[in-house]
Amino acid sequence: MPFLYIRTGGKCDIMRKYVSLLLAGAMVVGSLSGCGSAFEEESQTTAAVTAGEGSSDTQASQESVGGTEAVSQTAPGGNMLHIPAKREFPTVDTQKDTEFYVVPLNIYDRLVECEVVDGVAEIVPSLAESWTVSDDGLVYTFHLRDDVTFHNGEKLTADDVVYTIDRMMDPDTGARNTDAFSMIKGAKARLDGQADGVEGAVALDENTVELTLEAPFGPFLANLATPACSIYNRKATEAAGDQFGIDPQVTVGTGPFKMSDWVLNDKLTMVRNDDYFKGAPKLDGIEVIQVPDENTQKLMYENGELDIVDLSSSSSQLGYFLENDAYKDNLVTGPEAGSYFYVFNQDMKPTDDVRVRKAISMAIDRQTILDQMYSGAGHLVNSMLPDGVLGAYDAQEIPYDPEGARALLAEAGYSDGCELEICQQTDNPDALAINQVVQSMLSQVGITVTIKQMDDAAYFAERKEGRLGMTRASWKADFNDPDNFLYTFFTERNAKIRSNNHKNTDVYQWLEDARAMVDEDERMALYQKIDTAVVQDDAAVLPLFQMDHIVVVQDWVKDFHVAWNGWTDVSYYTVSLEK
């Protein structure tokens, strides 16, 4: 059970009472209508961010799913795990989706994985049993296991790895996760249609693959552990065509489970892979059931219809389970290697002035938001590098100081106040609840906030063009490296398409320099310098808090562990049921 931070007394009591009432209403909205995971508003990417995220691809993919008739196939016995999903998956092809990974993490494997070893997240062997790296950091040679078979019975070979990389970068694929392999030599030429293959991906023999990079890339191994880098079988994937990731009968991986049925807007079923190279899982299978409403998830859990409910993506039910002693032994907790934060657009007034950005940061009582909305199940952060991520450090505290905020606003020429727009997606009551509280807090220092709600298509289109106002964002680690947080948001290109428009040429260069460093200690020191410049000096973002990841499981669920990064989507390979 996590420690709950509860602050009382002091000059904020009146504000806290108002915030409590405001949040109570917002949480009712959330429980009635349902909303995405706390971290679902940001599409996850890998080495950098992919432009053009939006709803149109998802809609098209879902129409494809709807056109596929599910084939009935029931797992043996009744040893099935039942888990909820709040939204339908567009596809389980990880090359074409950047968000929904619960199925890919269970039906595919990667060359390496990131797992917790003695309390620390480490890169461990998976499909590759060993590897070597050249002294200059350019050439990675992977030695594959020789006992791995795909669900169609095909043996894993180095050619499948080469094919997977080439398919991602083939412009005809229309992949959305191309940054996963973009650092490999010749990958960008392949994506631009200037080459017939990826020059740096070579099968040396049946069980050995050599990957050569364009330049040293420190996070490369960590990046390969992401779902986007799942390895596909050439024969099955080519035969499946555009039905790969859509039709369960032709979607093939090497993972501990294999797809069986998929009934759109109902449930997706996976069954045990008895031939899994690590040994067959203990479960007969997994049913992923569409349950958009959070209150319905709670009721189904209490009725025994769901075995696991992730409270970090069902935030309206968090307080209920935390405060109910009957469930204290059913809570599994772990750190979330991610955080909430506000992004300021430096191309828009008034946040084009660093003094205003710092004033806004000082006017927001982050602890009150954490206490009231999330039962204090987490802690404040002052950096873009949350605890649990390589390179995290003890950053300078961002104070709550309304008087100091007023002084900075006056210095910036806004002694009579100013107007500010906060943008969010329409169907996101969790974001709306926080934004309404911030709206009230900022009004106390003379900032009048308008909350602009936009549909997904408009939101992502505006964000891509760098035209969103202040926005609440969130990010969990895709791979265990500070590059995943800092490069994703603060290179010149990414700063625009993330709508922060951060302008610091030193930071741009330092981010490129850090990627090319081979010495890890030097890399981490530079990332801390970058983070200080971005958060403390430039106030490009306001970090809010890092949540404890809390999952409620039934008494009969055994050996469930929160993922190293606190993702809601996890592998259930180790889980068993003892009813």
Side-chain angles (χ1 to χ4, degrees):
M1 187 85 178
F3 179 78
L4 303 185
Y5 302 89
I6 305 294
R7 296 199 305 171
T8 58
K11 59 185 178 182
C12 300
D13 283 349
I14 295 176
M15 175 63 73
R16 290 180 193 284
K17 291 177 183 177
Y18 175 77
V19 168
S20 297
L21 292 172
L22 182 57
L23 283 170
M27 295 305 278
V28 169
V29 174
S31 65
L32 291 175
S33 63
C35 63
S37 163
F39 288 84
E40 282 178 356
E41 73 182 67
E42 286 292 343
S43 295
Q44 302 291 313
T45 58
T46 50
V49 68
T50 303
E53 298 151 323
S55 61
S56 58
D57 290 343
T58 300
Q59 181 180 357
S61 297
Q62 287 183 331
E63 289 171 355
S64 297
V65 175
T68 301
E69 182 178 353
V71 179
S72 178
Q73 182 177 339
T74 304
N79 191 31
M80 298 287 290
L81 183 75
H82 302 90
I83 60 174
K86 297 179 73 172
R87 286 190 279 169
E88 185 59 87
F89 317 115
T91 177
V92 299
D93 180 352
T94 63
Q95 296 190 354
K96 296 183 179 181
D97 182 52
T98 62
E99 189 170 355
F100 299 96
Y101 289 149
V102 64
V103 178
L105 284 169
N106 286 281
I107 67 173
Y108 308 124
D109 292 292
R110 291 134 293 276
L111 292 174
V112 297
E113 305 287 356
C114 187
E115 296 179 358
V116 176
V117 179
D118 296 329
V120 179
E122 295 184 0
I123 301 300
V124 299
S126 184
L127 297 179
E129 60 183 359
S130 64
W131 57 87
T132 59
V133 185
S134 63
D135 291 341
D136 60 7
L138 289 175
V139 182
Y140 290 72
T141 305
F142 295 92
H143 304 280
L144 306 181
R145 295 178 62 117
D146 63 3
D147 59 348
V148 180
T149 56
F150 288 92
H151 299 152
N152 62 347
E154 290 283 312
K155 182 181 182 297
L156 169 72
T157 68
D159 178 67
D160 293 309
V161 178
V162 172
Y163 167 74
T164 298
I165 295 169
D166 183 69
R167 180 181 185 269
M168 177 81 88
M169 306 313 297
D170 184 345
D172 291 338
T173 300
R176 300 182 68 201
N177 259 324
T178 55
D179 289 322
F181 297 130
S182 64
M183 68 293 296
I184 298 175
K185 188 176 182 179
K188 291 181 180 178
R190 175 65 163 136
L191 184 62
D192 292 340
Q194 299 173 357
D196 294 330
V198 178
E199 179 184 351
V202 178
L204 300 182
D205 58 41
E206 188 176 73
N207 293 318
T208 309
V209 62
E210 181 181 87
L211 302 181
T212 302
L213 310 186
E214 291 279 6
F217 181 61
F220 186 59
L221 283 175
N223 178 70
L224 290 181
T226 63
C229 296
S230 298
I231 301 302
Y232 295 166
N233 175 243
R234 178 189 290 272
K235 179 178 179 180
T237 310
E238 287 184 337
D242 61 8
Q243 288 303 297
F244 184 83
I246 301 295
D247 184 345
Q249 307 309 311
V250 298
T251 302
V252 168
T254 59
F257 299 94
K258 46 191 176 182
M259 286 182 71
S260 171
D261 306 333
W262 189 357
V263 180
L264 191 65
N265 296 320
D266 182 9
K267 66 182 177 181
L268 184 152
T269 304
M270 295 174 274
V271 297
R272 180 179 60 227
N273 176 13
D274 289 322
D275 298 321
Y276 188 51
F277 67 93
K278 295 180 183 178
K282 298 173 184 177
L283 297 170
D284 285 339
I286 304 168
E287 288 188 346
V288 187
I289 305 169
Q290 290 296 316
V291 189
D293 182 70
E294 296 179 6
N295 192 56
T296 303
Q297 289 187 15
K298 180 194 75 173
L299 295 175
M300 291 179 68
Y301 173 85
E302 291 181 321
N303 291 336
E305 299 172 77
L306 293 175
D307 297 303
I308 294 174
V309 174
D310 191 304
L311 299 178
S312 295
S313 62
S314 188
S315 59
S316 67
Q317 306 305 312
L318 183 61
Y320 174 83
F321 284 102
L322 285 179
E323 296 163 14
N324 192 329
D325 287 342
Y327 296 112
K328 64 181 180 180
D329 294 329
N330 296 88
L331 299 177
V332 179
T333 65
E336 282 192 344
S339 63
Y340 291 102
F341 48 93
Y342 272 103
V343 175
F344 302 118
N345 191 329
Q346 296 180 32
D347 274 355
M348 299 178 67
K349 289 187 177 299
T351 50
D352 59 335
D353 191 316
V354 66
R355 293 168 296 186
V356 174
R357 299 195 296 272
K358 289 184 177 181
I360 293 171
S361 300
M362 295 165 66
I364 296 175
D365 186 351
R366 301 175 294 159
Q367 189 69 53
T368 290
I369 297 173
L370 178 63
D371 289 346
Q372 299 292 341
M373 190 166 187
Y374 297 102
S375 300
H379 62 274
L380 301 188
V381 292
N382 301 291
S383 164
M384 281 295 289
L385 303 178
D387 295 342
V389 171
L390 189 67
Y393 69 108
D394 187 14
Q396 180 180 336
E397 182 181 358
I398 300 170
Y400 171 55
D401 182 4
E403 290 301 322
R406 291 188 188 95
L408 278 175
L409 287 172
E411 183 181 323
Y414 296 108
S415 56
D416 295 329
C418 59
E419 296 182 355
L420 175 70
E421 183 177 82
I422 296 180
C423 298
Q424 69 163 83
Q425 291 156 277
T426 301
D427 188 21
N428 195 336
D430 183 64
L432 180 60
I434 292 180
N435 289 336
Q436 288 176 328
V437 174
V438 168
Q439 181 183 47
S440 175
M441 290 176 174
L442 293 182
S443 71
Q444 304 304 305
V445 299
I447 300 176
T448 301
V449 172
T450 300
I451 300 173
K452 181 179 180 181
Q453 300 194 56
M454 311 165 67
D455 63 48
D456 286 359
Y459 180 91
F460 285 113
E462 289 290 293
R463 190 180 74 170
K464 180 183 176 183
E465 295 301 320
R467 295 198 298 258
L468 281 186
M470 177 175 163
T471 56
R472 190 211 69 157
S474 52
W475 194 260
K476 282 185 190 175
D478 294 299
F479 56 90
N480 191 16
D481 196 276
D483 179 271
N484 187 220
F485 288 81
L486 295 172
Y487 198 97
T488 300
F489 285 88
F490 302 111
T491 61
E492 184 173 12
R493 169 180 173 267
N494 291 345
K496 177 182 177 181
I497 65 177
R498 289 286 172 180
S499 274
N500 63 71
N501 291 301
H502 183 234
K503 295 174 175 59
N504 188 323
T505 54
D506 287 337
V507 168
Y508 301 160
Q509 187 58 53
W510 293 339
L511 285 168
E512 300 298 339
D513 293 344
R515 282 190 152 193
M517 286 181 174
V518 176
D519 186 293
E520 188 167 286
D521 291 338
E522 290 182 5
R523 285 183 65 236
M524 295 306 108
L526 182 52
Y527 279 125
Q528 291 175 11
K529 181 179 179 180
I530 294 168
D531 184 79
T532 299
V534 167
V535 178
Q536 304 291 339
D537 300 339
D538 298 340
V541 293
L542 168 63
L544 295 174
F545 36 77
Q546 180 174 358
M547 298 293 295
D548 297 331
H549 198 94
I550 305 173
V551 181
V552 60
V553 304
Q554 299 285 7
D555 292 336
W556 52 79
V557 175
K558 306 300 179 184
D559 298 318
F560 171 82
H561 304 284
V562 173
W564 73 271
N565 54 2
W567 275 9
T568 295
D569 296 339
V570 300
S571 169
Y572 292 97
Y573 172 61
T574 64
V575 173
S576 62
L577 303 179
E578 296 180 6
K579 294 187 178 182

